[in-house]
Amino acid sequence: MPVTSSRLRRIRPLALLTLALALALAMLGGQASAGSSAAAAGSLPCDLYASGGTPCVAAHSTTRALYSAYNGRLYQVKRASDGATRDIGVLSTGGYADAAAQDAFCAGTSCLITVVYDQSGRGNHLTQAPPGGFSGPAAGGYDNLAEASAAPVTVGGHKAYGVFIAPGTGYRNNSTNGIATGDQPEGMYAILDGTHYNGGCCFDYGNAETNSRDTGNGHMETIYFGNSKTWGYGTGNGPWVMADLENGLFSGVNRGYNAGNPSVSHRFLTAAVKGGPNQWAIRAGNAQSGGLSTYYSGPRPNVSGYNPMHKEGAIILGIGGDNSNGSAGTFYEGVLTSGYPSDATENAVQANINAAGYAPSSTASGLTVGSRVSLRATTPCCTTEYLRHDSADSNAAIATVSSSSSSADKSATTWIVRAGLGDASCVSFESADKPGQYLRHYDFRLRIDVNDGSALSRQDATFCPQASHNGQGISLRSANYPSDFVRHYNHAAYVASDGGSHEWDATAFWADDTSWVVTSPWA
């Protein structure tokens, strides 16, 4: 369908009235009772974009419907224990995700998010990203899929899950319908975890190349979030909301530094980018309260290749256009539109986002950075045994520890919780009696080792706590292998998937063996 720049279109009085009414409804959104629709008819983000004359052509969310009339699938999960899949929908028309269905389906095992469905009806679903200019760590060079329970939140008081992107994780659709190409105008927003980011390239959501490779300046138009300073940056130390336009993360009209783009720190962040013929903008704000600020609005970058643009119309999540996949972040919802949205339309969408009621999950891991802890096994055979490093070598194992144990044994069973070396939203475990050595996996076996500063060493030593698989304590997911969790097997310690190809991936007792109670330190 033809796409027309909003600069060339007059907004009729009736359209203005419609948008004003939609804004009023958005202010009331999210106030419905438990189990009911998230907002009144016509007040959800894609309703508001349609009212403003810039309809959604892709709408992705794992937390809620983005149309008041939507009653379909949000995302699909795949169970590790048997490979079965299940679509997760909404509790009611226009409502919130049915997280309980995921919890029931994935109980006692782990699940991966295999599809994030497009609610627009155009079939622009996001699936596992294929290899491109860079290959991913999964089979065939594909990127990893996100662990389905890694990003719990509440929305409107309802439990939901986001898409937790660890380095190496990514989603893509290279064959889309209705997404802007060339210099056609478009808009996009995403709700992100403003505390989960890194300096890797590139945590993006938006319009990218259709061959998964870098095809030149101006061939992308996406939201970027992170603290990379390689191509562009703003004030402070980051992170920043910028636009990835290919071969450049732009914080404003200039390549490199732009003073109008501030560091942001909201737990839930609304990030928006829009672009048309020789105009574009970056806007952002707190997704829990308040409006959007405009960080840049004006002509295309003063660098060759970006005016006119050469957009190709693929959609990416969590990666760069060439499948560069070193980034980290968490995505909850987002859309792409046909046409350049007005600020008024985006403000109405932001009002609805505020009303939706995003809030952190109350799930506590018992792990505080800087604290000393011990980790007790929960398998019935082994409830007096704790995760420790061996005295004879560097490997990790479980062994019985009690008040009568030697000081050396107690110290070997004690860990200092550090901010994740490879992802600050997760944790690393420094050995209490061998300072500077961290628990890490190496060829799947857990051991203690020094941090050599490499990206691989940092990622191998990073673990993400989440609700346990057997209801006791926590489970610890590998930061760079999303389907692998810290497990004891025959008293040795590994990172293991449920039903994988190795002996230590055995399904028997997997839920118990991957669940750990955080206790007071033995030393």
Side-chain angles (χ1 to χ4, degrees):
M1 110 181 139
V3 183
T4 307
S5 170
S6 62
R7 294 184 300 163
L8 303 178
R9 179 178 59 246
R10 291 184 181 274
I11 300 178
R12 299 173 183 172
L14 179 58
L16 287 171
L17 178 59
T18 301
L19 183 58
L21 290 171
L23 176 58
L25 287 169
M27 296 294 190
L28 298 174
Q31 305 302 317
S33 60
S36 64
S37 296
S43 67
L44 293 185
C46 287
D47 305 320
L48 298 168
Y49 279 114
S51 296
T54 53
C56 295
V57 288
H60 305 109
S61 176
T62 56
T63 63
R64 64 174 183 146
L66 299 178
Y67 293 84
S68 59
Y70 190 75
N71 193 28
R73 306 171 297 179
L74 297 180
Y75 61 104
Q76 181 188 86
V77 295
K78 182 178 181 180
R79 192 163 56 193
S81 58
D82 59 2
T85 60
R86 174 157 183 174
D87 290 336
I88 305 301
V90 291
L91 291 167
S92 60
T93 301
Y96 304 98
D98 185 3
Q102 174 184 314
D103 291 342
F105 182 74
C106 302
T109 184
S110 64
C111 283
L112 299 176
I113 297 174
T114 47
V115 185
V116 182
Y117 290 111
D118 173 24
Q119 300 179 31
S120 77
R122 291 177 173 268
N124 292 322
H125 312 309
L126 297 174
T127 57
Q128 188 173 16
F134 293 86
S135 292
Y142 279 70
D143 292 343
N144 287 330
L145 294 167
E147 212 284 329
S149 59
V153 291
T154 62
V155 188
H158 299 268
K159 184 179 182 180
Y161 293 102
V163 183
F164 187 97
I165 301 292
T169 303
Y171 294 81
R172 194 178 195 113
N173 186 330
N174 280 341
S175 182
T176 61
N177 175 11
I179 307 302
T181 59
D183 209 27
Q184 292 176 329
E186 67 178 347
M188 61 195 74
Y189 85 86
I191 306 303
L192 310 172
D193 180 342
T195 66
H196 183 205
Y197 60 90
N198 70 3
C201 184
C202 291
F203 184 71
D204 292 345
Y205 173 71
N207 188 328
E209 293 96 335
T210 55
N211 65 357
S212 301
R213 287 170 170 77
D214 179 352
T215 53
N217 293 6
H219 284 248
M220 289 177 61
E221 187 163 67
T222 71
I223 297 163
Y224 165 82
F225 179 64
N227 65 343
S228 171
K229 297 179 70 174
T230 303
W231 297 276
Y233 59 100
T235 60
N237 296 317
W240 303 280
V241 176
M242 297 189 282
D244 189 344
L245 305 179
E246 190 54 279
N247 297 319
L249 299 178
F250 286 94
S251 56
V253 71
N254 298 313
R255 188 183 291 280
Y257 175 70
N258 288 278
N261 195 307
S263 298
V264 292
S265 59
H266 309 302
R267 171 58 179 84
F268 294 97
L269 169 71
T270 305
V273 167
K274 54 186 173 181
N278 200 25
Q279 70 174 93
W280 70 290
I282 304 172
R283 306 186 76 205
N286 186 342
Q288 293 179 294
S289 64
L292 296 176
S293 298
T294 300
Y295 297 162
Y296 175 76
S297 180
R300 289 291 184 181
N302 53 17
V303 180
S304 176
Y306 300 99
N307 184 33
M309 291 286 284
H310 314 280
K311 292 175 280 193
E312 297 187 26
I315 305 174
I316 56 174
L317 171 59
I319 52 176
D322 57 2
N323 198 45
S324 46
N325 51 27
S327 56
T330 299
F331 172 91
Y332 302 106
E333 65 177 71
V335 310
L336 282 77
T337 72
S338 172
Y340 193 93
S342 68
D343 286 0
T345 297
E346 292 174 331
N347 293 343
V349 170
Q350 171 70 353
N352 170 260
I353 291 167
N354 288 172
Y358 275 95
S361 170
S362 60
T363 302
S365 71
L367 297 173
T368 302
V369 172
S371 65
R372 298 164 76 94
V373 300
S374 293
L375 297 170
R376 181 176 62 80
T378 64
T379 311
C381 66
C382 311
T383 55
T384 62
E385 299 187 44
Y386 292 78
L387 184 67
R388 60 163 292 167
H389 65 81
D390 290 340
S391 54
D393 54 37
S394 60
N395 289 329
I398 59 169
T400 297
V401 181
S402 68
S403 58
S404 60
S405 296
S406 68
S407 296
D409 285 341
K410 290 178 179 177
S411 294
T413 315
T414 300
W415 307 94
I416 303 171
V417 181
R418 302 299 188 192
L421 298 176
D423 187 333
S425 68
C426 301
V427 296
S428 293
F429 296 96
E430 183 180 8
S431 171
D433 65 338
K434 293 186 178 294
Q437 296 194 42
Y438 292 84
L439 186 71
R440 70 169 286 185
H441 62 83
Y442 184 86
D443 198 21
F444 298 98
R445 185 73 190 268
L446 285 173
R447 58 188 291 180
I448 56 170
D449 202 354
V450 296
N451 172 23
D452 64 14
S454 68
L456 179 62
S457 174
R458 295 194 304 270
Q459 286 295 317
D460 286 353
T462 302
F463 304 93
C464 303
Q466 59 190 68
S468 72
H469 294 126
N470 72 353
Q472 300 179 63
I474 60 172
S475 292
L476 294 165
R477 179 177 52 80
S478 166
N480 53 350
Y481 288 89
S483 61
D484 287 1
F485 291 79
V486 173
R487 179 188 191 174
H488 64 87
Y489 183 80
N490 286 342
H491 296 278
Y494 302 86
V495 290
S497 61
D498 186 3
S501 60
H502 305 104
E503 180 185 10
W504 53 85
D505 296 327
T507 58
F509 301 106
W510 187 86
D512 289 336
D513 292 352
T514 57
S515 297
W516 305 85
V517 171
V518 179
T519 72
S520 298
W522 278 107

